[in-house]
Amino acid sequence: MVSPAMLKGMNTEVYGEGHPFGDPSWYQAYNTPYYNDTHKQFRKLMREYVDEHIMSNVHDWDEKGTIPKEMYLEAGKQGTLALCIGRPWPEKYFGPSPWGFEPDYFHELIMYDEMSRTGSVGFQWGIAGGTTIGLPPVYHHGSEELKNRVMPPCVKGEKVCCLAITEPTAGSDVANLKCTAKLEGDFYILNGEKKWITNGIFADYFTVACRTGKPGVGGISLLLVEKGMEGLECRKMKCSGAWSSGTTYITFDDVKVPKGNLLGKEGKGFQYMMQNFNHERFAFCAMSTRFARVCLEDSLKFASKRKTFGKTLIQHPVIRWKVAEMARMVEATHNWLEWITFQLKTMPKIEAMLKLGGHTALCKVQCTKVMEYCAREAAQIFGGLSYSRGGQGEKVERLNREVRAMAIPGGSEEIMLDLGVKQSTKLAQMAKMFAEAAPQAQQAKM
């Protein structure tokens, strides 16, 4: 028997259903240095909203290929869209935080984590994708006129902004973009194509990377293109998954974009994109890790009730081995994700840009590979139920289709791995140089 005296001083606070590995460890009575009462408050709010309004609807929305407009308005009203654009909180364009506290990156992590319990990449990217990656360049580099006009309706869910970088012949190789914009008087004349653009089919604003100058990264700029501009055409693409996210093929045919829609300065577009990549990949990591956990949790629940050869699946050692492999990968990955979140929270932006590019790149590879592994193993555990849309295996079947929607966008594995090694090497060399210079500088002072 466990007496109250034995429990004194122990953390016994459990939140959620309590399935082993079904939630991050701080939900399950483990100590954490990262979260406080505001995070617990926000966790409760997000979980209740997802369970009541979203969880039972995502399958239908995915099958229909669209999410109701009222969901965007509700997400805007709640403040979750404003939370998507990173820090600081955009009070000028939204108003004060609706929760009574200034949110940090851990609140944003909780938001992505809880919403990803739906096991739907389409829903996540449909609601938050364009805002997360398309709106920050406007927030940080747009003119005051542009921000005052674009930011409020976007963070309130009234309008949608998407990011248009990828082209049919240029994905991770951003420096090789072929879309061009030539300045003629008061307008840029934009021509080219963009492909696999999340939210594009229902977007009101398009943050477009285009070539305004010389070849290479120094000739790239960002323009904000607006729905209704003559020569802009959008065609919804048919993809393996993420059906409700509005993946789009876009063409620009002599689109006249006002000079005032230039974001920041000409030729600085690549730099602006790099500034946003850490935050974009952080979002990818948060979603992918929970998607992997969904596969793990659903597998464990299913294996505890499904019987074969007179035993439940979980009584078979080979199935326990599969669950254990998933669990060790998910738990290790989530701990790395929390470490990166802490760095984002505590580092000045310039320091985070300098130090975290390689880490977020490598973590994205880790998270999406773990998601892929867990989706595959969960499908084995569910058997035929993971091959049919809807029903008990709904989330596992969908996530199996949607692995590539997380692994390729935001930087393919090969590019991310190379970037991670190169940046870590450069940082090590810089650290060594500073360490060697410090004694000399101290001696000079003496």
Side-chain angles (χ1 to χ4, degrees):
M1 289 286 293
V2 178
S3 67
M6 293 172 64
L7 294 176
K8 187 177 181 181
M10 287 178 59
N11 181 353
T12 57
E13 187 179 359
V14 176
Y15 185 82
E17 295 180 29
H19 298 296
F21 315 111
D23 282 307
S25 60
W26 70 285
Y27 287 46
Q28 302 198 12
Y30 287 91
N31 299 332
T32 173
Y34 299 127
Y35 303 96
N36 57 37
D37 287 341
T38 68
H39 298 112
K40 295 175 184 178
Q41 171 190 333
F42 188 64
R43 174 183 66 181
K44 183 175 185 293
L45 183 154
M46 288 302 304
R47 174 148 298 197
E48 290 176 351
Y49 181 75
V50 169
D51 284 349
E52 183 176 352
H53 299 285
I54 301 174
M55 191 69 78
S56 62
N57 294 314
V58 288
H59 176 70
D60 290 338
W61 295 339
D62 203 54
E63 293 293 313
K64 293 175 183 177
T66 185
I67 300 169
K69 181 62 180 178
E70 55 264 29
M71 296 307 300
Y72 293 88
L73 295 172
E74 184 61 31
K77 180 182 177 181
Q78 282 193 355
T80 49
L81 291 179
L83 190 58
C84 285
I85 64 173
R87 308 288 75 74
W89 175 261
E91 183 168 353
K92 181 178 179 181
Y93 309 106
F94 181 90
S97 164
W99 308 297
F101 53 80
E102 178 75 12
D104 59 31
Y105 282 103
F106 281 101
H107 294 99
E108 188 175 358
L109 171 59
I110 292 168
M111 176 189 68
Y112 291 132
D113 186 64
E114 285 293 327
M115 291 178 71
S116 296
R117 290 174 53 246
T118 59
S120 172
V121 176
F123 172 75
Q124 272 288 43
W125 280 116
I127 285 288
T131 302
T132 301
I133 62 180
L135 199 56
V138 180
Y139 182 35
H140 295 296
H141 304 293
S143 66
E144 285 304 311
E145 184 278 328
L146 210 58
K147 287 190 283 189
N148 288 331
R149 180 160 56 88
V150 173
M151 289 295 298
C154 285
V155 296
K156 292 177 182 178
E158 299 163 1
K159 293 193 174 182
V160 174
C161 181
C162 71
L163 182 67
I165 295 179
T166 305
E167 298 180 359
T169 59
S172 296
D173 184 12
V174 177
N176 197 36
L177 294 180
K178 292 180 172 59
C179 187
T180 62
K182 295 182 179 179
L183 184 60
E184 296 183 5
D186 292 331
F187 294 90
Y188 286 95
I189 307 303
L190 180 65
N191 284 282
E193 302 169 306
K194 297 292 179 180
K195 196 172 184 181
W196 301 292
I197 305 306
T198 301
N199 294 180
I201 199 68
F202 49 78
D204 300 282
Y205 301 105
F206 306 76
T207 300
V208 180
C210 53
R211 189 165 302 286
T212 56
K214 61 186 179 180
V217 297
I220 296 175
S221 301
L222 295 182
L223 293 178
L224 189 72
V225 177
E226 302 181 43
K227 184 179 181 180
M229 287 182 172
E230 189 175 350
L232 167 67
E233 291 189 10
C234 298
R235 173 169 55 85
K236 189 171 182 179
M237 296 176 63
K238 293 183 178 180
C239 301
S240 298
W243 297 334
S244 57
S245 68
T247 308
T248 306
Y249 194 103
I250 303 174
T251 57
F252 307 106
D253 185 8
D254 288 337
V255 180
K256 294 176 69 174
V257 184
K259 279 198 306 185
N261 284 33
L262 174 69
L263 301 180
K265 297 180 180 179
E266 259 198 27
K268 296 291 185 181
F270 186 81
Q271 178 181 324
Y272 301 152
M273 287 186 282
M274 293 301 106
Q275 290 173 5
N276 196 46
F277 272 149
N278 277 348
H279 180 250
E280 176 183 342
R281 289 166 187 154
F282 159 72
F284 269 101
C285 291
M287 295 177 196
S288 300
T289 303
R290 173 57 86 161
F291 289 147
R293 193 182 292 278
V294 165
C295 293
L296 166 58
E297 181 183 16
D298 279 16
S299 295
L300 192 51
K301 288 192 289 187
F302 179 72
S304 297
K305 62 183 180 181
R306 173 79 163 96
K307 287 188 176 182
T308 61
F309 307 105
K311 297 180 181 179
T312 59
L313 286 178
I314 201 64
Q315 290 178 306
H316 295 284
V318 68
I319 300 300
R320 290 199 299 274
W321 180 86
K322 287 180 180 292
V323 170
E325 284 289 278
M326 286 191 274
R328 72 174 180 83
M329 292 182 186
V330 169
E331 291 301 313
T333 302
H334 194 88
N335 275 273
W336 191 7
L337 172 59
E338 288 182 323
W339 178 86
I340 286 177
T341 308
F342 182 71
Q343 307 310 312
L344 286 170
K345 176 185 174 181
T346 56
M347 284 182 178
K349 283 189 178 293
I350 188 67
E351 183 181 4
M353 282 177 55
L354 179 67
K355 292 182 177 180
L356 294 183
H359 283 284
T360 56
L362 293 177
C363 191
K364 179 185 180 290
V365 176
Q366 171 72 11
C367 294
T368 54
K369 281 197 168 190
V370 170
M371 175 187 170
E372 182 172 23
Y373 179 88
C374 290
R376 194 263 181 198
E377 291 301 285
Q380 289 299 110
I381 292 172
F382 272 84
L385 292 173
S386 70
Y387 190 62
S388 51
R389 301 217 296 264
Q392 290 185 73
E394 172 198 327
K395 295 177 184 177
V396 173
E397 183 276 331
R398 186 167 55 232
L399 289 172
N400 257 294
R401 282 188 284 107
E402 296 184 329
V403 166
R404 299 269 70 79
M406 300 301 292
I408 296 173
S412 66
E413 290 177 3
E414 295 77 12
I415 301 296
M416 294 297 91
L417 291 168
D418 188 53
L419 172 64
V421 173
K422 286 196 298 187
Q423 188 176 70
S424 297
T425 301
K426 287 180 181 178
L427 282 172
Q429 291 172 344
M430 288 175 60
K432 183 179 179 181
M433 180 180 68
F434 289 144
E436 291 173 348
Q440 298 175 10
Q442 185 65 30
Q443 190 173 12
K445 286 182 181 180
M446 298 173 61

